[in-house]
Amino acid sequence: MATETTSFVFSSLAGSEIYNAPPPPVMEKMAAGAFVSLCKHLQALSDEVQNIDMMNISGFCRNCLAKWMVLEARKLAKNLRQDAEFAVGFTSSTEEYRSTVKALDGLGYDEAAQEVYGCTYPEWKKRHQKKASEEQMKIYNENTHLHAVHDKDLLKKAVDGGDEMLLNYCQKYLSEKVMTRLKAGAFSNLCIHLRERSDVIQNVELMTISGFCRNCLAKWM
């Protein structure tokens, strides 16, 4: 069965092919690094940049970044199960393979959100989130066509366990290479989201609300 992979090319932002791009493993690390830079940027502006304002302007927010990480975890777990040759590139033993797949199955929104927010979502919400105004909610409801759509079934954890136990398990068994793939995949999904909404999401508006735009994503790479 063909392995479902995430493609990383310089065309991610613009949508046009550019030749002589670095090899895919290098591009993957660049994309993961850009994702980390974006998360740090948003963490530094936790009080100034509200999730609802990001949703109203760009159709995504911090929560979407975490959900894209989870969806990438499900994709990677599926690939590891279906393609033994592919699995060799991520795990070196049967025990590591089983632990990695279990950790990927157990990675949920709460665990991924800590990578994005730098803390748990409830903690961030208590410290930084402001109550949305009627005007903000009005814009939110009018702009649902911009909103990122996530497969709720795939977001569900495939293993049982308490949040703290799963978080510790994921931190222990998800290697740097695996985490790089998850972050790079989330970054790729963000680029696709923005590219598909090129006419309605303008860089200047995104920059005004969140302090970054497509150009910043490219520079972070």
Side-chain angles (χ1 to χ4, degrees):
M1 185 175 294
T3 300
E4 184 180 3
T5 59
T6 300
S7 176
F8 304 101
V9 294
F10 278 123
S11 61
S12 293
L13 291 173
S16 59
E17 186 175 1
I18 297 178
Y19 296 97
N20 299 320
V26 177
M27 286 297 298
E28 185 170 286
K29 290 183 179 180
M30 291 166 62
F35 181 82
V36 171
S37 294
L38 171 59
C39 291
K40 289 182 177 179
H41 169 82
L42 292 174
Q43 289 168 17
L45 297 176
S46 291
D47 290 324
E48 296 85 352
V49 180
Q50 293 293 297
N51 281 336
I52 191 168
D53 290 328
M54 291 181 66
M55 286 295 295
N56 288 347
I57 288 296
S58 61
F60 82 95
C61 67
R62 297 173 179 87
N63 295 328
C64 297
L65 298 178
K67 291 175 182 177
W68 281 324
M69 280 190 68
V70 175
L71 294 177
E72 194 65 24
R74 301 294 178 268
K75 183 193 300 182
L76 181 55
K78 178 182 177 182
N79 287 341
L80 291 174
R81 288 190 178 95
Q82 293 180 344
D83 191 332
E85 185 177 348
F86 176 81
V88 170
F90 285 90
T91 59
S92 58
S93 66
T94 301
E95 181 180 356
E96 184 182 3
Y97 164 80
R98 290 174 178 170
S99 298
T100 299
V101 171
K102 183 177 179 180
L104 288 169
D105 285 340
L107 182 74
Y109 167 79
D110 292 334
E111 291 75 38
Q114 290 215 31
E115 293 288 334
V116 175
Y117 285 96
C119 62
T120 65
Y121 175 57
E123 183 180 354
W124 184 92
K125 187 176 180 180
K126 182 178 180 180
R127 291 180 180 178
H128 306 290
Q129 184 165 303
K130 301 176 178 66
K131 184 178 180 180
S133 66
E134 291 185 6
E135 180 62 21
Q136 286 173 314
M137 290 305 304
K138 179 176 180 292
I139 297 173
Y140 179 88
N141 292 324
E142 290 175 347
N143 287 355
T144 54
H145 62 286
L146 288 179
H147 296 177
V149 179
H150 309 280
D151 190 324
K152 293 182 179 180
D153 290 333
L154 286 178
L155 289 173
K156 295 178 182 177
K157 297 177 181 179
V159 295
D160 296 324
D163 289 340
E164 184 175 353
M165 182 196 77
L166 282 175
L167 177 59
N168 292 335
Y169 196 86
C170 291
Q171 289 176 337
K172 181 177 180 180
Y173 289 107
L174 291 181
S175 66
E176 180 181 352
K177 186 172 183 178
V178 171
M179 289 303 297
T180 295
R181 169 58 64 93
L182 302 189
K183 293 171 184 177
F187 182 79
S188 180
N189 280 310
L190 168 60
C191 292
I192 292 170
H193 171 85
L194 292 174
R195 189 168 68 235
E196 290 176 344
R197 294 159 178 79
S198 293
D199 291 334
V200 289
I201 301 176
Q202 296 298 306
N203 279 341
V204 66
E205 295 175 344
L206 186 56
M207 193 76 179
T208 300
I209 289 296
S210 61
F212 79 92
C213 66
R214 295 173 180 86
N215 295 329
C216 298
L217 299 180
K219 291 174 182 178
W220 281 327
M221 285 187 73

